[in-house]
Amino acid sequence: MDSAEAEALLASDPEALWAMMLALGARNGVEDLHASGAFEDEDAPLLNGALRRHLYGALVALTYSTNTRHPHRRWFEDFLLDVAGAAPEGDGPEQALPPLRGACVLAVQEFAEAIRLGHTARVALARSAVNGMEDHYRVMAGTSGVGADPSALGFVIAAIPGYWERPELSLEVASRVRNT
């Protein structure tokens, strides 16, 4: 993705850009497992799409769950609890990690079921995806111990494959966003 595309997406839908960057981290996190044969090249787009979609839903829910004027705020809070597996914890950037972890795990579960991946590989894939997503999140949020690094963000944005589609929300989440 080039910088002009990223800037346009950031201005129009920052959660979509963040979802793509976090999905890239998750995908990079599982690359060793992919290289060792945990899943085939032709299956990778399924995982990539599931990661983008689930992370996007969690990011949108995080945004709307903190908007005290949004009519579906409570629904988004429940979504974070029920679907993503955890509510935000504490204050600051780290509060988003529990729901984002849950979103990664849901994406891997969906993928693993689709390709009939065994339990051991599924667990390893979920752990690796979550670790990769967290690494990218901490760099992007400036909580990696070195602060936000604009050159690192630029590198992550530039590494997003040009063929990756913008994430879409599930129908359930999209109906709440549009029904304001």
Side-chain angles (χ1 to χ4, degrees), residues 24-92:
L24 180 64
R27 185 60 181 81
N28 288 346
V30 303
E31 188 54 35
D32 286 345
L33 293 169
H34 177 210
S36 68
F39 60 95
E40 302 296 326
D41 289 345
E42 59 267 10
D43 296 327
L46 292 172
L47 177 59
N48 299 339
L51 288 164
R52 290 192 306 271
R53 184 174 56 259
H54 285 282
L55 287 164
Y56 186 41
L59 288 162
V60 167
L62 282 162
T63 298
Y64 284 100
S65 71
T66 59
N67 181 345
T68 57
R69 297 181 306 176
H70 195 280
H72 298 292
R73 176 177 168 232
R74 297 263 186 242
W75 184 90
F76 286 108
E77 290 173 347
D78 289 343
F79 173 86
L80 292 172
L81 283 171
D82 297 340
V83 179
E89 295 176 358
D91 294 324

Side-chain angles (χ1 to χ4, degrees), residues 83-104:
V83 179
E89 295 176 358
D91 294 324
E94 294 287 314
Q95 74 173 342
L97 282 173
L100 294 173
R101 285 182 196 116
C104 262

